[in-house]
Amino acid sequence: MTTTKLFPKGVKATEYFTGNAWIEILTNDIKNFDTMSYVVTFAPGSRNYWHSHPGGQILFCISGEGLFQEKGKPIQFLKAGDVVEINPNVTHWHGATPDNEFVHIGVSTQLSKGPTTWYSAVTDEDYYQMKI
Amino acid sequence: MTTTKLFPKGVKATEYFTGNAWIEILTNDIKNFDTMSYVVTFAPGSRNYWHSHPGGQILFCISGEGLFQEKGKPIQFLKAGDVVEINPNVTHWHGATPDNEFVHIGVSTQLSKGPTTWYSAVTDEDYYQMKI
């Protein structure tokens, strides 16, 4: 269960992330696929802000150890090979565990339903609630 | 550039493939995402039939060495980390090279536009035309 440098790391994320994360766009032909796809690399401890997608999002976990939480539910632990379906308009966040990098492919589906809505940062208090 | 057993191999494909291939469905909540995703593992020499997707398809190459061809164009060589965008209604096939296994994630987008159309098998004559 090892993946090494399957995709490029891409460019540093400049907003809506706590800590260091990198994004490499894989596909963005929205006209032909109504979809965007990308790789996100989260440094240990980093995560994105609470957000939701009007058309949904699918994550394919590629390497490392990650965390995922839907609003009002417990934090879930993610590892390479896990797949996460995030239904339209469900507020959530994802990121690395405190001690490990995490890499996932993300696919934003049905983009014609509208852009991502971003909310506040995931506080350290919320982030360190995970019991893993 | 090594990936080992990132996803399960799944079940043997029973039609529309030449040679041995296995499919593991990753997501099929068409109602919420208008998308299906799956892992395909092609044994060396195996490939699917010529086909087209009304809503398009995206391939994320995970391991091994693969081939891809759009009707009327040269065969392309694929390796881990490559991403292929197959526009709606473009007739194509994909598979392994003659000597190596090939694994990709496939995402069928915009399924509401209709099901895959399957055509004839890729003949050995067509398959062995690749110059790599």
Side-chain angles (χ1 to χ4, degrees), chain A residues 4 11 22 42 60-61 87 101 113 128-129 131-132:
Chain A
T4 309
V11 299
W22 294 263
F42 296 91
F60 302 106
C61 302
N87 281 351
E101 186 181 87
K113 295 197 172 180
Y128 287 103
Q129 279 183 345
K131 297 178 180 96
I132 51 174

Side-chain angles (χ1 to χ4, degrees), chain B residues 11-32:
Chain B
V11 300
K12 197 96 166 274
T14 54
E15 53 181 354
Y16 306 129
F17 283 78
T18 299
N20 291 325
W22 294 262
I23 299 177
E24 168 78 2
I25 300 294
L26 296 178
T27 72
N28 66 353
D29 182 350
I30 296 167
K31 182 172 167 290
N32 273 309

Side-chain angles (χ1 to χ4, degrees), chain B:
Chain B
M1 191 80 82
T2 305
T3 308
T4 308
K5 294 180 185 168
L6 190 58
F7 298 101
K9 199 166 184 176
V11 300
K12 197 96 166 274
T14 54
E15 53 181 354
Y16 306 129
F17 283 78
T18 299
N20 291 325
W22 294 262
I23 299 177
E24 168 78 2
I25 300 294
L26 296 178
T27 72
N28 66 353
D29 182 350
I30 296 167
K31 182 172 167 290
N32 273 309
F33 299 95
D34 199 20
T35 292
M36 258 188 79
S37 65
Y38 36 83
V39 171
V40 186
T41 300
F42 296 90
S46 76
R47 65 271 187 182
N48 51 29
Y49 284 23
W50 290 102
H51 63 288
S52 62
H53 307 272
Q57 184 186 37
I58 301 168
L59 308 180
F60 303 106
C61 303
I62 297 299
S63 66
E65 297 184 349
L67 299 174
F68 166 72
Q69 185 179 25
E70 293 187 0
K71 196 86 178 173
K73 296 187 178 179
I75 293 175
Q76 292 178 45
F77 177 73
L78 300 175
K79 63 185 189 312
D82 286 345
V83 178
V84 183
E85 294 175 276
I86 304 157
N87 280 351
N89 300 312
V90 170
T91 301
H92 68 284
W93 62 268
H94 26 121
T97 59
D99 299 323
N100 285 281
E101 187 180 88
F102 179 55
V103 179
H104 69 60
I105 297 174
V107 177
S108 294
T109 51
Q110 305 180 105
L111 286 173
S112 54
K113 295 198 172 180
T116 303
T117 303
W118 291 97
Y119 306 104
S120 56
V122 176
T123 62
D124 281 354
E125 192 182 350
D126 284 345
Y127 178 74
Y128 288 103
Q129 277 183 346
M130 77 278 183
K131 296 178 181 95
I132 51 171

